[in-house]
Amino acid sequence: LFRSINHSEVLRFSPMVEMIEPKHFKQISYLIERWSIPSYLDNAKQKTAIGRLYYYVFLEIREIIKAKLSPSQLEELESGNLRGRIHIILINLLYKVGLTEEGRNLWKLRDIRNFADYNLQMGGVEVSLSEAKKLTKNLEDSFQKIRNLPESQVQQAFNSVV
């Protein structure tokens, strides 16, 4: 009954598809955090803000890396075969190109996001949101460093981590 969705087909046939920018997820995170809602929803609000921060950073790094891949690597990345592994591929790629701190920070931010998304526990979310903000800032400060990586280095690293 169900078949895998070819996202490029959806985009190709969708009229006037506008691309969302990764920074919009960061903006949404800060808007969510400031929402005035009943206090019993505070935990869910903070968990949602954490998720948006992670996706902002993840998508920004992914787009920087995609711009440096060869056409065949880009096709492999977008084919769907790697879709479930893309988060780990990006983290490992950062390590492979020598950006160890950035890889570690992206791993930590992903770990915080996973905890926020998959655990219904109430405690510690305020601390996690604070840590997520710090990691987001640190990774934002590294975006230019990632942009400055030579294409050949990124392509070689991609081949070794895929």
Side-chain angles (χ1 to χ4, degrees):
L1 270 181
F2 297 100
R3 71 174 183 86
S4 179
I5 295 173
N6 181 338
H7 296 282
S8 60
E9 278 181 22
V10 173
L11 290 176
R12 188 178 31 210
F13 295 113
S14 298
M16 306 227 339
V17 173
E18 290 186 35
M19 297 297 286
I20 189 169
E21 293 181 39
K23 69 181 178 183
H24 295 156
F25 286 101
K26 178 183 177 187
Q27 293 166 344
I28 290 294
S29 174
Y30 288 113
L31 289 172
I32 289 169
E33 191 180 354
R34 286 160 180 73
W35 279 351
S36 178
I37 61 173
S39 61
Y40 73 91
L41 293 173
D42 281 346
N43 191 268
K45 177 175 79 170
Q46 290 181 19
K47 286 176 177 245
T48 303
I50 289 168
R52 299 309 85 199
L53 285 175
Y54 171 74
Y55 277 103
Y56 156 59
V57 171
F58 163 76
L59 292 170
E60 188 68 42
I61 292 173
R62 186 192 69 184
E63 293 305 302
I64 294 168
I65 296 301
K66 281 173 61 174
K68 295 180 173 296
L69 296 178
S70 71
S72 62
Q73 289 173 321
L74 188 57
E75 184 178 327
E76 181 179 6
L77 183 67
E78 294 181 338
S79 70
N81 297 337
L82 302 178
R83 186 157 285 130
R85 295 179 33 224
I86 184 64
H87 299 267
I88 298 300
I89 288 170
L90 286 182
I91 291 166
N92 288 337
L93 190 142
L94 290 173
Y95 278 105
K96 195 72 172 174
V97 297
L99 298 178
T100 307
E101 182 180 347
E102 289 79 1
R104 187 173 25 253
N105 286 341
L106 186 56
W107 176 266
K108 287 178 187 175
L109 185 56
R110 182 172 188 252
D111 195 43
I112 291 169
R113 193 273 310 182
N114 284 344
F115 181 83
D117 279 356
Y118 301 114
N119 290 288
L120 296 176
Q121 298 168 354
M122 299 294 278
V125 179
E126 301 84 9
V127 174
S128 296
L129 180 55
S130 174
E131 181 66 14
K133 288 179 181 179
K134 287 180 203 168
L135 291 166
T136 297
K137 176 66 174 126
N138 289 343
L139 286 159
E140 280 179 317
D141 292 344
S142 298
F143 288 166
Q144 193 58 46
K145 195 185 305 186
I146 299 167
R147 281 187 192 94
N148 291 339
L149 290 169
E151 286 182 5
S152 60
Q153 186 181 10
V154 172
Q155 291 171 10
Q156 187 176 13
F158 180 83
N159 287 335
S160 70
V161 298
V162 171

